[in-house]
Amino acid sequence: MTRNFTTDKSMTTSEPSRRSVLRAVMYTAAAVPFGLPLAACATGGGGGEDEQSASPGGTVDAKNPFGMAENTTIDAVIFDGGYGVDYVEFAGTVLAGLHDGSSVKVSPSTQIATELQPRFVGGNPPDLVDNSGAQSIGFNTILDQLEDLTDVIDAPNVEGTTIRDTLYEGVLEPGTYGDKFAALNYVLTVYGVWYSGTLFEKNGWQPPTTWEEAKALGAEAKKADKYLFLWGTEAATYYQTLAIESAIKEGGDEVRLALENLKPDCWSHDALQATFSIMKEIVDAGYFKPGGSGTQFTAAQAQWSNKQEALLYPSGSWIENEMKDQTADDFQMKGVPSFSVTANAAMPATALHLTAGEPFIVPSQAKSVAGGKELLRVMLSKEAATNFSKTKLAPTIVKDIVPEDGFGSTALVSQTEMLSGAGSDIFTFNFVNTYGMNQEQLPIWNSFLDGKKSVADLTKELQAITDRIANDDTIEKIEVS
Amino acid sequence: MTAIPGAGQVLPTDEGAPAGPGRGPRRGRRAGGWSFDTVSFFVVFLGLPLALFLVFVIWPFAQAAFYALTNWSGFTTEFDVVGLANFTTLLQDPRFTNAVGNSVMFGLFIPFITIVIALTFAILITVGGSGRGQVRGVRGSGFYRVVSLFPYVIPAIAVGIMWRLILDPSNGLVNGILTGLGLERFQSFAWLGNVGTAMPVTMFVVVWGFVGFYMLLFIAAIKGVPSEIYEAARIDGAGRWRTSWSITLPLIRDNVQTAYIYLGIIALDLFVYVQALNPQGGPDNSTLVMSQQLFRTAFTEGKFGYASAMGVAMAVVTLVFAALVFTVNRLAGGRSERGRA
């Protein structure tokens, strides 16, 4: 055994003793990290080409627009996050009812990238994937291995209406990369600032619509021995999202496009700088609950939703479902659109950051591409969408599903109100996710919210990340317009 | 190797029985090492482990080293060989060099602190007791021995999560006690969220987890030292410090070296701990380590080729560390095989 380790010069002169064996063992152990990136390896496995032509099989008609073969078992890997996987199982049951003999096998996963990486390489990816969560696969890495889902949108839904006509406006954009509609984002996500209706009513507070009002409310909160905001270390960038929203409202598309297309000095735009400055004032005034940079984010969120130590929390609309078990009784969660910076902003105060989340993808090499698409079609049916909104208290991208009473959820009612208030003044941005910047931005925002960074530092460091990606030719850029 | 003559020795008895039906003598001398016994011995004890080693250790290493020369994204079957480009990028990548710096800090401090503490405890428990009568440990040493192993029994990820809760700024035990003692400045103090404290606290958690195990290792080593030596030293008037420094430490030198290297490897990896305590890399990336950056590059950025290059770099750092420990030990006089008897 020791002969393998010829790097050690002394080895040639000495007999293999206990000592040298021990040393050899150590070298072996020292080499352990070598194996790390190879948790799943071997590119040689894939015989993808011949599988691609897997039999389309079934007949194509209005009931089966993609020609799914009979007796198909659809293989779906679903991110098991805030929304669970039961809504896909529900759609699976509906699908089984529509197509005798076919069924859906739903596998939950929280580690999409690590779990599916070998399957993509091996050429046998699942038929449908919910590529979501912290461990999702970066879209620029797998884009050319995905089906264009335009035909799903143009197909009739289970009730017979063309699916495109049943969807909210702008919800296809988050899944469109260049000219390819590669991901169908199922859940409608309304970004805003959330608060307790009961608490505000009791104290006679008004939810702020501008940053100045927010600052004034911070002073009120201080009097009530509360904080205005709080944050958790993994979610510090929620405040980045809020800042970008305010800046886009202030400066319009100009700000959005500069950020999306990784332009030089995009973070130095006046609108962003104005937002950062007033945020800094709020941080310096002590209106942020200290210690956020060391607090796990759901624990921090519970300090807002359960202990009510802070008044406001900026987040997407998943927050209600995420904190369901840790929300004070009679909290009456409500939301307002992100704050404006000045009165003469480019967009009205009601303008809304609206996007769709939970990107569902159909890999081209999947055994049953038609099956994956068919399951998506069923998920977009009225029955499945209603089931989702009712059980998850969140809207899907399918319109006219949520009733007046929001299934008893004030947050859901408030989302519907924000949506109708915004009308066509909706916007979204993707660059953070597209280029996987969040991880790098988190420490910067943690320090900023801690009061340890100036606006100049913040701007410089965020710009450095943008510049690094912009100048890295190995990263494929996606032009946004 | 020594097993071959051993296995052969069984055969001559057969050979010495000339009345045998020819089976014995024929196999005896000529086949020598090739009897069924020998062959099966080779297959089971050499062939199988070697095959497993080649397939599951050497082959992945070779693959990693190869992928380090490519631009493989990790999700396709196609890639180009880009030569050493990944390594040149690596040297200029501030994120990676920062991670290397952090890993080196962990690699310097964690083994040292752990070993000093573990050794101190081990000495106290085995030979640090009363100066009269038989050589023995402090009172209640059996109890301490068991208790100190508890942290090691807990899985690393649980240790990380537990300490994260203990160190929670608002509801954690640590700040609860400190503010309870009247230290108001620790109200909502983020131990893991301040550049000054995040790394020391992370080190503390790791040390806490490993001290017990290495203490046990040293106890076993010290038990192997004949107690006459201690008794003789004591008769000569050596105190506890003197015995520890001049007798215990030199006699268990090899164990300390082994422990140092294992701890170094743990400290240079550390993935589980940092991922549990500060998954986003800590304040200003002050606790971001190589393995974390590697994982991020591979799975969130989809650059497996580049990540493999990081893996190779990590292995190099680890080997350099091991070489350093050997060198230091040798320079300090560890070459001679004293105390082996």
PDB file of all heavy atoms in Angstrom, chain B residues 92-106:
ATOM      1  N   GLN B  92      -7.253  34.618  -9.133  1.00  0.00           N
ATOM      2  CA  GLN B  92      -7.659  36.032  -9.184  1.00  0.00           C
ATOM      3  C   GLN B  92      -9.064  36.238  -8.650  1.00  0.00           C
ATOM      4  O   GLN B  92      -9.608  37.323  -8.737  1.00  0.00           O
ATOM      5  CB  GLN B  92      -7.597  36.532 -10.625  1.00  0.00           C
ATOM      6  CG  GLN B  92      -6.189  36.553 -11.165  1.00  0.00           C
ATOM      7  CD  GLN B  92      -6.155  36.414 -12.663  1.00  0.00           C
ATOM      8  OE1 GLN B  92      -7.199  36.319 -13.312  1.00  0.00           O
ATOM      9  NE2 GLN B  92      -4.961  36.375 -13.228  1.00  0.00           N
ATOM     10  N   ASP B  93      -9.679  35.168  -8.147  1.00  0.00           N
ATOM     11  CA  ASP B  93     -11.062  35.259  -7.689  1.00  0.00           C
ATOM     12  C   ASP B  93     -11.071  35.689  -6.223  1.00  0.00           C
ATOM     13  O   ASP B  93     -10.722  34.908  -5.343  1.00  0.00           O
ATOM     14  CB  ASP B  93     -11.716  33.885  -7.853  1.00  0.00           C
ATOM     15  CG  ASP B  93     -13.192  33.917  -7.504  1.00  0.00           C
ATOM     16  OD1 ASP B  93     -13.622  34.892  -6.858  1.00  0.00           O
ATOM     17  OD2 ASP B  93     -13.907  32.975  -7.874  1.00  0.00           O
ATOM     18  N   PRO B  94     -11.455  36.960  -5.962  1.00  0.00           N
ATOM     19  CA  PRO B  94     -11.375  37.428  -4.574  1.00  0.00           C
ATOM     20  C   PRO B  94     -12.255  36.608  -3.630  1.00  0.00           C
ATOM     21  O   PRO B  94     -11.947  36.465  -2.459  1.00  0.00           O
ATOM     22  CB  PRO B  94     -11.855  38.881  -4.659  1.00  0.00           C
ATOM     23  CG  PRO B  94     -12.580  38.984  -5.949  1.00  0.00           C
ATOM     24  CD  PRO B  94     -11.984  37.973  -6.862  1.00  0.00           C
ATOM     25  N   ARG B  95     -13.343  36.058  -4.169  1.00  0.00           N
ATOM     26  CA  ARG B  95     -14.229  35.288  -3.292  1.00  0.00           C
ATOM     27  C   ARG B  95     -13.523  34.027  -2.821  1.00  0.00           C
ATOM     28  O   ARG B  95     -13.629  33.614  -1.681  1.00  0.00           O
ATOM     29  CB  ARG B  95     -15.503  34.906  -4.039  1.00  0.00           C
ATOM     30  CG  ARG B  95     -16.321  36.110  -4.446  1.00  0.00           C
ATOM     31  CD  ARG B  95     -17.578  35.707  -5.141  1.00  0.00           C
ATOM     32  NE  ARG B  95     -17.305  34.961  -6.362  1.00  0.00           N
ATOM     33  CZ  ARG B  95     -18.196  34.218  -6.987  1.00  0.00           C
ATOM     34  NH1 ARG B  95     -19.402  34.117  -6.506  1.00  0.00           N
ATOM     35  NH2 ARG B  95     -17.880  33.580  -8.090  1.00  0.00           N
ATOM     36  N   PHE B  96     -12.788  33.399  -3.742  1.00  0.00           N
ATOM     37  CA  PHE B  96     -12.116  32.166  -3.350  1.00  0.00           C
ATOM     38  C   PHE B  96     -10.903  32.436  -2.466  1.00  0.00           C
ATOM     39  O   PHE B  96     -10.692  31.748  -1.472  1.00  0.00           O
ATOM     40  CB  PHE B  96     -11.712  31.352  -4.579  1.00  0.00           C
ATOM     41  CG  PHE B  96     -11.195  29.987  -4.220  1.00  0.00           C
ATOM     42  CD1 PHE B  96     -12.058  29.017  -3.731  1.00  0.00           C
ATOM     43  CD2 PHE B  96      -9.859  29.676  -4.345  1.00  0.00           C
ATOM     44  CE1 PHE B  96     -11.596  27.764  -3.371  1.00  0.00           C
ATOM     45  CE2 PHE B  96      -9.383  28.429  -3.988  1.00  0.00           C
ATOM     46  CZ  PHE B  96     -10.256  27.465  -3.504  1.00  0.00           C
ATOM     47  N   THR B  97     -10.137  33.462  -2.810  1.00  0.00           N
ATOM     48  CA  THR B  97      -8.963  33.736  -1.982  1.00  0.00           C
ATOM     49  C   THR B  97      -9.399  34.118  -0.564  1.00  0.00           C
ATOM     50  O   THR B  97      -8.754  33.722   0.417  1.00  0.00           O
ATOM     51  CB  THR B  97      -8.095  34.845  -2.588  1.00  0.00           C
ATOM     52  OG1 THR B  97      -8.947  35.890  -3.037  1.00  0.00           O
ATOM     53  CG2 THR B  97      -7.287  34.340  -3.759  1.00  0.00           C
ATOM     54  N   ASN B  98     -10.510  34.849  -0.469  1.00  0.00           N
ATOM     55  CA  ASN B  98     -11.049  35.158   0.852  1.00  0.00           C
ATOM     56  C   ASN B  98     -11.403  33.867   1.595  1.00  0.00           C
ATOM     57  O   ASN B  98     -11.075  33.700   2.768  1.00  0.00           O
ATOM     58  CB  ASN B  98     -12.287  36.050   0.698  1.00  0.00           C
ATOM     59  CG  ASN B  98     -13.064  36.179   1.985  1.00  0.00           C
ATOM     60  OD1 ASN B  98     -12.504  36.436   3.030  1.00  0.00           O
ATOM     61  ND2 ASN B  98     -14.370  35.957   1.899  1.00  0.00           N
ATOM     62  N   ALA B  99     -12.041  32.924   0.872  1.00  0.00           N
ATOM     63  CA  ALA B  99     -12.420  31.657   1.493  1.00  0.00           C
ATOM     64  C   ALA B  99     -11.186  30.877   1.927  1.00  0.00           C
ATOM     65  O   ALA B  99     -11.168  30.271   3.005  1.00  0.00           O
ATOM     66  CB  ALA B  99     -13.270  30.828   0.520  1.00  0.00           C
ATOM     67  N   VAL B 100     -10.146  30.906   1.108  1.00  0.00           N
ATOM     68  CA  VAL B 100      -8.912  30.215   1.485  1.00  0.00           C
ATOM     69  C   VAL B 100      -8.350  30.830   2.761  1.00  0.00           C
ATOM     70  O   VAL B 100      -7.979  30.129   3.703  1.00  0.00           O
ATOM     71  CB  VAL B 100      -7.860  30.283   0.355  1.00  0.00           C
ATOM     72  CG1 VAL B 100      -6.528  29.729   0.827  1.00  0.00           C
ATOM     73  CG2 VAL B 100      -8.338  29.510  -0.857  1.00  0.00           C
ATOM     74  N   GLY B 101      -8.351  32.169   2.789  1.00  0.00           N
ATOM     75  CA  GLY B 101      -7.862  32.859   3.990  1.00  0.00           C
ATOM     76  C   GLY B 101      -8.622  32.431   5.235  1.00  0.00           C
ATOM     77  O   GLY B 101      -8.018  32.100   6.261  1.00  0.00           O
ATOM     78  N   ASN B 102      -9.954  32.400   5.129  1.00  0.00           N
ATOM     79  CA  ASN B 102     -10.753  31.986   6.279  1.00  0.00           C
ATOM     80  C   ASN B 102     -10.455  30.549   6.672  1.00  0.00           C
ATOM     81  O   ASN B 102     -10.320  30.236   7.855  1.00  0.00           O
ATOM     82  CB  ASN B 102     -12.248  32.122   5.965  1.00  0.00           C
ATOM     83  CG  ASN B 102     -12.667  33.569   5.829  1.00  0.00           C
ATOM     84  OD1 ASN B 102     -12.029  34.451   6.383  1.00  0.00           O
ATOM     85  ND2 ASN B 102     -13.724  33.806   5.071  1.00  0.00           N
ATOM     86  N   SER B 103     -10.350  29.676   5.663  1.00  0.00           N
ATOM     87  CA  SER B 103     -10.070  28.275   5.962  1.00  0.00           C
ATOM     88  C   SER B 103      -8.730  28.124   6.663  1.00  0.00           C
ATOM     89  O   SER B 103      -8.586  27.340   7.594  1.00  0.00           O
ATOM     90  CB  SER B 103     -10.071  27.442   4.676  1.00  0.00           C
ATOM     91  OG  SER B 103     -11.392  27.210   4.266  1.00  0.00           O
ATOM     92  N   VAL B 104      -7.751  28.903   6.205  1.00  0.00           N
ATOM     93  CA  VAL B 104      -6.434  28.822   6.833  1.00  0.00           C
ATOM     94  C   VAL B 104      -6.511  29.259   8.300  1.00  0.00           C
ATOM     95  O   VAL B 104      -5.931  28.625   9.184  1.00  0.00           O
ATOM     96  CB  VAL B 104      -5.407  29.661   6.046  1.00  0.00           C
ATOM     97  CG1 VAL B 104      -4.127  29.850   6.846  1.00  0.00           C
ATOM     98  CG2 VAL B 104      -5.102  28.991   4.712  1.00  0.00           C
ATOM     99  N   MET B 105      -7.287  30.312   8.550  1.00  0.00           N
ATOM    100  CA  MET B 105      -7.465  30.750   9.943  1.00  0.00           C
ATOM    101  C   MET B 105      -8.053  29.617  10.782  1.00  0.00           C
ATOM    102  O   MET B 105      -7.584  29.320  11.876  1.00  0.00           O
ATOM    103  CB  MET B 105      -8.389  31.963  10.011  1.00  0.00           C
ATOM    104  CG  MET B 105      -7.798  33.235   9.464  1.00  0.00           C
ATOM    105  SD  MET B 105      -6.383  33.773  10.420  1.00  0.00           S
ATOM    106  CE  MET B 105      -7.196  34.633  11.745  1.00  0.00           C
ATOM    107  N   PHE B 106      -9.094  28.987  10.254  1.00  0.00           N
ATOM    108  CA  PHE B 106      -9.701  27.867  10.977  1.00  0.00           C
ATOM    109  C   PHE B 106      -8.676  26.753  11.161  1.00  0.00           C
ATOM    110  O   PHE B 106      -8.568  26.154  12.220  1.00  0.00           O
ATOM    111  CB  PHE B 106     -10.915  27.330  10.214  1.00  0.00           C
ATOM    112  CG  PHE B 106     -12.149  28.174  10.359  1.00  0.00           C
ATOM    113  CD1 PHE B 106     -12.794  28.706   9.254  1.00  0.00           C
ATOM    114  CD2 PHE B 106     -12.682  28.425  11.615  1.00  0.00           C
ATOM    115  CE1 PHE B 106     -13.931  29.484   9.391  1.00  0.00           C
ATOM    116  CE2 PHE B 106     -13.823  29.201  11.768  1.00  0.00           C
ATOM    117  CZ  PHE B 106     -14.442  29.733  10.648  1.00  0.00           C
TER     118      PHE B 106
END
